[in-house]
Amino acid sequence: QVQLVESGGGSVQAGGSLKLSCTASRYILSTCEMGWYRQAPGKERELVSSISSSGTTRYADSVKGRFTISQDNAKNTLYLQMNSLKIEDTAVYYCAGGPCYGIGTKPLYWGQGTQVTVSS
């Protein structure tokens, strides 16, 4: 059963912007910390940004000031607005849900991923 579905990836030139969306079940959005991860070729998956159920946000140092995470519960959607994109932002971006109910430290739910390619 598909729980998270990403969209909005694509190709953009350096300095450009993209907005990723992730539709999720209301259950996941209301009980889990939501986040965006990315994995570049040959690298480990890393946390880009997260947002707690109370609205607290976190960002990787590499994206602070450029990316913004948000959540629209009425639309059951998580967003990642990416501005001033750099070549090193190229990766597959994954939407993730969890931990949930404050239990554990890792996501329980994953989207299928969406490719973001930034060129010079």
Side-chain angles (χ1 to χ4, degrees), residues 65-114:
R66 300 188 298 121
F67 291 11
T68 302
I69 192 170
S70 62
Q71 185 170 316
D72 186 336
N73 291 333
K75 295 182 178 180
N76 293 341
T77 304
L78 177 75
Y79 300 100
L80 185 68
Q81 177 67 48
M82 305 185 294
N83 299 327
S84 301
L85 282 161
K86 302 177 180 180
I87 292 176
E88 51 264 41
D89 294 320
T90 296
V92 178
Y93 284 71
Y94 297 90
C95 175
C100 305
Y101 296 107
I103 299 173
T105 59
K106 296 183 178 180
L108 297 177
Y109 307 98
W110 291 94
Q112 80 284 0
T114 185

Side-chain angles (χ1 to χ4, degrees), residues 5-13 16-23 36-38 67 77-82 85 89-95 112-119:
V5 180
E6 301 105 335
S7 62
S11 297
V12 65
Q13 287 190 322
S17 299
L18 283 174
K19 187 173 185 177
L20 305 183
S21 300
C22 171
T23 57
W36 289 96
Y37 289 71
R38 68 185 181 187
F67 291 11
T77 304
L78 177 75
Y79 300 100
L80 185 68
Q81 177 67 48
M82 305 185 294
L85 282 161
D89 294 320
T90 296
V92 178
Y93 284 71
Y94 297 90
C95 175
Q112 80 284 0
T114 185
Q115 177 70 45
V116 172
T117 302
V118 184
S119 60

